[in-house]
Amino acid sequence: MDNDNKIGILTLHSGYNEGAILQAFCLAFNLQNNVTGKVEIVDHRYPSKERAYGPVRDDKTKTLNDFVNYALPLSKKRFLSDDCKATFEFIKENYNVVVTGSDELWKLKYTKRCFGIISEQNDLWCPAFPNVYWPDETIEIPKIAYAASIGGSDWRAIPKKHIVRMKRILSDYSLLGIRDQRTMSFLEWLEPNIADKAEWVPDPTFAADILSLVDKRALKQKLQQYGVDFSRPRICVVLRDTPDTNKVINNIKQHGYQIVGITLSNKAADVALFDKGFTPLEWFGVFGLMDFCILQRMHACISCILQGTPFIAVDFYSNPMDDDSKLKDLMQSFGLLDYYYKADNSSVGEFQLICERLFNEPWPVNEITEKRLLFNNRSKEFTDKIKGILSD
């Protein structure tokens, strides 16, 4: 592939979700630094999601909005539409390859009505299929999926006409990289031949050395200005309010810990950073400046894994089919299920025991380091496969 060629990325890149923006940045960063050519994120946005996120309203949303618009390599043309025909035409005219991924961009929500005969898609957060993240066969350039995920979708509700179209679309991919076992199960259900050509690739945050882009000294000063006390042991929480978990966290305070809350409002926090302005890169770096973390967001967990910070993953994610989730898949991959708490079907006593384990038992540093190396090498292998496709 020569320098005149261009790679277009279709991914979840806009809104006020630090992890989603971060994965988009890392995917573009990885490809730009390892594949010859120009990389752009095709700036397609869905009106329903834009309305769901709402307008810029505080320092947090302004900082994230500015990062999306000025730090991501967005296409010059923006599409704000439920229809993807114009976007597909733009892709065909401007790129030599299109990459879909990563994150839960294949997540779909169907609801049944009329005695279960008719399926509808009305969820604001999940654009109805077919959508821009399923580029069809009219796009004749190579199509590559990078760490794509089906999320918590119930694929039993997908109507037959959509199943047929999904098979046709995915069969046309040159390279099919998926992020988790649940997505592999979906592909096996959809079409075994498609599943046979799919391969696992980690989230792109494992592929890019983004920590080198974080000024930790400046970040520490910023946190101190907001009230974080680095003379005390610190626990960062990205956790929704629940009476059970907050009771345990409030008990932890009695042992001298300062509770730092970020991203999600939580009444147990001593220092509330929920509306403060952190870029996704700064947000990623925050968890490396803590002694422990209690987290429900996957990319916050990945940050702890990459920076060696002991943490608990609290899982509120669920689906109507099985017990799998993206957090469980991540924790299982790193041998960290002892630090995994399923919030909807576990007792608060179990959460208390996991917290005690976190504070009192040695963190498995060597095992995590070995697995991180495996994830990084796998990312490189997959990127090399992309380079091979582009050189043909």
Side-chain angles (χ1 to χ4, degrees), residues 243-254:
D244 288 343
T245 54
N246 279 14
K247 181 179 179 180
V248 174
I249 292 169
N250 282 323
N251 288 337
I252 291 171
K253 288 184 186 183
Q254 308 309 313

Side-chain angles (χ1 to χ4, degrees), residues 320-338:
M321 294 181 63
D322 50 51
D323 194 41
D324 291 337
S325 73
K326 58 185 178 182
L327 272 184
K328 185 176 181 181
D329 188 87
L330 178 72
M331 299 299 278
Q332 189 166 12
S333 295
F334 278 87
L336 292 173
L337 286 179
D338 284 346

Side-chain angles (χ1 to χ4, degrees), residues 109-122 154-160 163:
K109 285 198 175 179
Y110 293 87
T111 55
K112 294 281 192 177
R113 67 179 183 85
C114 293
F115 306 105
I117 297 173
I118 299 175
S119 293
E120 292 184 334
Q121 300 180 84
N122 300 314
D154 183 354
W155 52 80
R156 299 170 301 182
I158 302 175
K160 288 183 180 180
I163 292 173

